[in-house]
Amino acid sequence: MMNFIWFSLFMSGIIVAALTGRIHMVTEGVLTGAKDGVFISLGLISVIAFWLGMMKIAEESGLIQILSKRLRPFATWLYPSVPSDHPAMGALIANMSANILGLGNAATPLGLKAMQELQTLNGTSDVASDAMCTLLAMNTASLTLIPATMIGLRMEFHSKNPGEIIGSTILATLIATGAAIILDRFFRRTEQIRCRRRNRS
Amino acid sequence: MSVFATISAFALPMTIAAILIAGIVHKVPLYESFTEGAKEGFTTSVSLIPHLVAMMVAVSVFRASGALQLFIQALSPLLHIIHFPAELVPLALLRPISGSGSLALVTDLFKHAGTDSFLGRVASTMQGSTDTTLYVLTVYYGSVGIRKPRYSVKVGLLSDLVSVFASIWAVSMMFGK
């Protein structure tokens, strides 16, 4: 997929430039693009380093554990098929907390841990379980309270108020996460209904 | 909506203060923990370089050649009907597929429209409020050998679509158009 998109961006650019007599723009585009890529990555070091440093303190002071405790009732509602004393539940809550705090780097390993625990409940099947589908819905929608990378990038580009998008991001992410939960339940129900019909006939 | 604007302005300093206070109360070695975490930031940023260079080059060629303009023009009648800003189309299409690729597009938008414009704010909100759906699906399911994702792909992509429109709505509500 990525290969195809990358190829199409280049090829359509080269073809359009050739047809409109602006072929020199391709060379220029390559040079400025490459330079921008390096500059942006290096510029991001400052802000990403700052936030990961802050998050390390949050982790060691127990802030993340406090958040986990608050999230437990919500998690048991979200994952009814997971026993509340199963290790999977702990990993699911930890993953949710990390996502909410915008700890992208920490959220992925925690999510993979949750996935492995869910697979023990699922047997050795290669079909996703209900809880796995919910976990994926939650992670692709990514409930985030502090969009650290975006704030960092906005600082890089001299925004007057880099943090002003926190409010709109929370609002948008709540809507998207709500939609993900509803869609997850909706498609599960339609699948059940379809299965039942098939069994009857 | 000035309530939200105030919350947004205070959110960052207050978060930092809360983390520091929680740290000092629980006797965390603040300075050491911070530097330890920050070290990871360096490797994360450096590992982004190849992705950003690859994507920025392709996007830059696509834009400089005039192909982006043609693409947007072709789509504009449809976008006009649903009141969708044409400049956001490439970002909306790439966001679920590539995190670093869409980050490059946001950067491109910041350079051309500014961070504090309507487009800049929507792009920031879009990028922050959703994740790279296809990458997450691949990595998570791949890690435990799931081959049949059932309805997960549908749920992921549809909620991305919701997020695009929710971002436009949230930004126009809080900051105006």
Side-chain angles (χ1 to χ4, degrees):
Chain A
M1 193 67 158
M2 217 35 226
N3 286 326
F4 175 73
I5 290 171
W6 204 58
F7 174 80
S8 319
L9 284 174
F10 261 122
M11 284 318 287
S12 51
I14 292 170
I15 292 167
V16 170
L19 291 179
T20 54
R22 290 196 290 179
I23 197 74
H24 61 282
M25 294 305 284
V26 174
T27 324
E28 214 178 295
V30 168
L31 290 175
T32 51
K35 200 174 72 188
D36 287 350
V38 174
F39 273 112
I40 293 156
S41 316
L42 292 179
L44 274 176
I45 292 179
S46 53
V47 201
I48 295 186
F50 172 75
W51 279 108
L52 288 185
M54 277 316 211
M55 290 309 168
K56 192 82 189 170
I57 297 176
E59 201 183 303
E60 289 181 4
S61 66
L63 268 186
I64 294 177
Q65 287 91 310
I66 294 171
L67 190 61
S68 299
K69 210 178 277 176
R70 291 278 157 82
L71 286 175
R72 186 166 278 276
F74 180 59
T76 48
W77 170 79
L78 204 55
Y79 300 98
S81 60
V82 180
S84 63
D85 54 350
H86 193 274
M89 194 51 101
L92 287 168
I93 292 172
N95 167 254
M96 215 190 292
S97 315
N99 264 327
I100 289 177
L101 288 174
L103 289 163
N105 283 25
T108 309
L110 292 168
L112 294 181
K113 174 101 175 69
M115 205 65 196
Q116 280 154 14
E117 294 294 346
L118 289 177
Q119 184 66 331
T120 64
L121 290 169
N122 193 23
T124 47
S125 167
D126 63 352
V127 183
S129 66
D130 286 0
M132 285 176 179
C133 290
T134 310
L135 175 65
L136 264 291
M138 292 299 290
N139 275 280
T140 56
S142 102
L143 193 65
T144 312
L145 292 191
I146 310 166
T149 313
M150 279 329 293
I151 293 170
L153 195 65
R154 291 170 60 81
M155 282 181 183
E156 265 298 296
F157 279 83
H158 311 293
S159 165
K160 283 201 194 81
N161 186 357
E164 70 179 2
I165 46 110
I166 292 178
S168 56
T169 304
I170 292 178
L171 200 60
T173 204
L174 281 177
I175 296 172
T177 306
I181 295 172
I182 293 168
L183 287 166
D184 180 57
R185 298 260 154 123
F186 172 76
F187 284 118
R188 183 171 307 159
R189 273 208 66 82
T190 52
E191 197 185 69
Q192 280 168 353
I193 292 166
R194 217 182 308 134
C195 273
R196 234 172 275 148
R197 269 200 208 122
R198 207 179 300 142
N199 288 346
R200 229 176 281 150
S201 60
Chain B
M1 275 305 128
S2 64
V3 184
F4 274 106
T6 317
I7 292 175
S8 292
F10 273 85
L12 213 56
M14 287 300 143
T15 312
I16 296 173
I19 292 172
L20 289 177
I21 292 168
I24 207 95
V25 167
H26 289 91
K27 300 195 173 56
V28 174
L30 294 182
Y31 187 80
E32 281 83 353
S33 301
F34 180 88
T35 46
E36 195 188 320
K39 220 181 279 171
E40 277 174 54
F42 191 81
T43 42
T44 308
S45 314
V46 171
S47 67
L48 268 176
I49 293 179
H51 298 280
L52 273 173
V53 169
M55 218 47 217
M56 290 298 282
V57 167
V59 170
S60 172
V61 168
F62 189 65
R63 173 187 281 281
S65 66
L68 176 66
Q69 212 47 46
L70 277 180
F71 183 65
I72 290 173
Q73 259 167 30
L75 277 174
S76 70
L78 174 73
L79 299 172
H80 194 74
I81 297 171
I82 54 171
H83 298 287
F84 192 92
E87 296 88 338
L88 293 172
V89 173
L91 180 61
L93 292 177
L94 196 62
R95 183 70 189 105
I97 299 159
S98 162
S100 41
S102 54
L103 197 65
L105 284 185
V106 174
T107 317
D108 199 55
L109 261 171
F110 281 175
K111 279 175 62 183
H112 289 86
T115 48
D116 302 333
S117 63
F118 176 71
L119 288 177
R121 285 168 178 150
V122 174
S124 311
T125 306
M126 258 167 75
Q127 182 78 12
S129 69
T130 178
D131 209 328
T132 316
T133 300
L134 295 184
Y135 168 82
V136 173
L137 280 167
T138 315
V139 172
Y140 275 48
Y141 281 146
S143 74
V144 290
I146 298 286
R147 281 169 217 280
K148 298 185 181 103
R150 289 165 66 193
Y151 44 81
S152 287
V153 184
K154 256 189 289 188
V155 172
L157 292 179
L158 282 173
S159 58
D160 284 342
L161 191 67
V162 171
S163 154
V164 170
F165 284 98
S167 301
I168 294 175
W169 175 76
V171 169
S172 41
M173 215 179 74
M174 278 178 204
F175 304 100
K177 287 244 174 189

